[in-house]
Amino acid sequence: MLSQVIRIVTFGVLLTLFFFKSSSKFELENYKPNQGLGAPLGYVVWQTLNEKGWLSPFQYEPAQGLKMVAQGKLDGYVVERLIGLNLLFENHLQEEVTYSQNHLLDTTWYLPFNKNFYLNNQVLVENFWFELNNARAHLEKKHKTLSNRKSKTN
């Protein structure tokens, strides 16, 4: 129950971007599916892609989906910006896959703690938020060059 929540902390606004093959030109306004787009099952954008008729008939986890984009087996993959950038880096796909400046979805994420848990674990909760902020800052710094790289589209 919301009245039992003592602390709701905002993760921040997370941008959901289109990742696509570097050698192609992706324009959201003029998109017509060829291979279709992928997104993680359970993401709000998965349903949006499905409703627009843009969703690929094949389901891939994010790392595999970005590899399918690099191989031309998907037109693109939609995932949160830092997740996508990190997966490009980890899988050495920075040259084959790029991203659009178009955001399909910008969301604010929250993590609530109930009153009892927070009162009994204040240090743990505060340490969690401290470490989470450090991890996000580390990823932002790690991928600064990639995330600031000019995209081929607006």
Side-chain angles (χ1 to χ4, degrees):
M1 221 180 226
L2 195 54
S3 63
Q4 296 296 315
V5 175
I6 191 171
R7 177 132 191 217
I8 299 177
V9 182
T10 304
F11 252 32
V13 175
L14 303 178
L15 309 176
T16 305
L17 304 179
F18 291 92
F19 289 82
F20 59 97
K21 194 167 176 70
S22 297
S23 61
S24 68
K25 185 175 181 183
F26 183 86
E27 294 178 7
L28 179 61
E29 306 80 38
N30 301 316
Y31 177 66
K32 295 196 185 340
N34 182 19
Q35 302 291 334
L37 299 170
L41 187 61
Y43 263 49
V44 173
V45 296
W46 187 93
Q47 184 63 36
T48 302
L49 296 176
N50 192 36
E51 288 169 359
K52 291 180 178 281
W54 294 352
L55 191 63
S56 166
F58 303 102
Q59 184 62 44
Y60 301 103
E61 293 295 319
Q64 189 64 27
L66 292 171
K67 288 176 185 175
M68 294 295 107
V69 170
Q71 295 172 16
K73 295 179 180 178
L74 277 178
D75 298 334
Y77 199 84
V78 183
V79 71
E80 192 276 326
R81 181 181 61 91
L82 273 180
I83 293 170
L85 291 174
N86 194 53
L87 289 171
L88 291 182
F89 180 79
E90 286 180 355
N91 293 288
H92 310 286
L93 297 172
Q94 304 97 310
E95 298 302 317
E96 290 106 24
V97 178
T98 190
Y99 57 93
S100 171
Q101 295 300 316
N102 299 106
H103 306 164
L104 183 61
L105 180 67
D106 297 349
T107 55
T108 303
W109 286 11
Y110 303 92
L111 185 60
F113 291 99
N114 72 35
K115 183 177 183 177
N116 191 33
F117 182 85
Y118 182 74
L119 291 174
N120 290 319
N121 299 282
Q122 287 181 12
V123 172
L124 179 65
V125 171
E126 295 303 320
N127 285 339
F128 170 79
W129 287 114
F130 179 78
E131 293 301 327
L132 181 64
N133 286 333
N134 283 345
R136 284 186 57 86
H138 173 74
L139 280 178
E140 286 284 356
K141 185 177 179 183
K142 180 178 176 182
H143 300 296
K144 184 176 181 178
T145 301
L146 187 57
S147 60
N148 287 333
R149 182 174 80 181
K150 274 201 175 230
S151 176
K152 293 181 179 184
T153 64
N154 295 335

